[in-house]
Amino acid sequence: MVKLKRNNTTVKIDAGELVGYEVNGYQFIHQKGSPGWSSADTEMFPIIGPVNEADFRVKTPKGEAVQDQHGHLRQMDYILEHQTDTSAVFAKEYESGSEVSNSKFPEKSTEEALSWPYDFRFEKSFLLKDDSLEVHFKISGEEGMPFMLGYHPAFKLHSKSPVILAKGKEISLDEVLAVGSRALQVADCTSITLKDEKEITIETEGFGNFMCWTEVRNMVCIEPISFYPYAVEQVNLHQGFQMLKDSAQFKVVLKPGA
């Protein structure tokens, strides 16, 4: 467990997963073991969304790749590369064509192993500042590699009627629940505020969109995404790809209210 500390703020990171962000005794992150989701945060890469209706295949310029929901990156382990009192850097490296065991097999998937026809390095770093926590992502690899990126943090809910503020509108928890597993789309948006007993704002660079998901009332996932996967049929998921040019960088800032 990596712990970052600054003033009255503590961040806990377990093998690259943000499992705690506590400010003046108030916990913003969903706690593993609580109802709703077995994780606290994860990444969606190199695809976002399910592919079961597409026979777990995704089109790429190098042919079809075998993927499962939200990509195979989450099936790989992070390596801690650097750590200070207020920062930490984790990375995953993948060699094209390598098979990655699929934890969804056989209960939720027909595919025992996943693969991708491109090399890549995926870096996730944390920087704790006086007023915020920054999460940076850097993707490097083969020129022209197609990819999507989504960040999937879960926030603990303390009150019965939290509100999500986005693009000047209020979104209730009931509205998110009503959409179900597809997740509520918030298009063309770079900043969302969760108003609960305390506020936290999620600001982004590089993603451009959000989707919100929960199936319980004690947590909500507010997810920066480069593409909303339900905008197309699963067989056309490749339409949401962007192409890598040497490297790509994305940023998420978690900023608690005053």
Side-chain angles (χ1 to χ4, degrees), residues 133-188:
L133 174 63
E134 295 185 358
V135 187
H136 295 257
F137 303 98
K138 182 179 180 181
I139 302 161
S140 53
E142 189 173 333
E143 184 90 8
M145 180 183 76
F147 73 95
M148 307 169 198
L149 177 62
Y151 179 44
H152 195 308
F155 297 93
K156 180 178 181 178
L157 296 177
H158 297 254
S159 68
K160 292 183 179 180
S161 53
V163 174
I164 295 169
L165 302 179
K167 300 174 69 175
K169 298 180 179 180
E170 290 191 355
I171 302 169
S172 68
L173 186 62
D174 286 332
E175 289 177 81
V176 179
L177 285 161
V179 179
S181 61
R182 287 176 65 91
L184 177 71
Q185 180 185 18
V186 184
D188 302 319

Side-chain angles (χ1 to χ4, degrees), residues 164 166 171 175-177 179-186 192 210-214 220-223 225 228:
I164 295 169
I171 302 169
E175 289 177 81
V176 179
L177 285 161
V179 179
S181 61
R182 287 176 65 91
L184 177 71
Q185 180 185 18
V186 184
I192 280 183
F210 284 90
M211 60 184 184
C212 304
W213 170 82
T214 190
V220 64
C221 296
I222 300 176
E223 310 165 34
I225 52 173
Y228 182 67

Side-chain angles (χ1 to χ4, degrees), residues 77-112:
D77 295 327
Y78 274 114
I79 295 174
L80 175 63
E81 294 195 331
H82 182 70
Q83 179 186 354
T84 69
D85 290 343
T86 57
S87 67
V89 179
F90 297 84
K92 299 181 181 185
E93 295 196 16
Y94 177 77
E95 184 178 339
S96 65
S98 301
E99 291 192 341
V100 176
S101 295
N102 184 12
S103 63
K104 291 179 176 289
F105 176 85
E107 288 80 8
K108 296 182 179 180
S109 176
T110 60
E111 303 302 319
E112 185 173 1

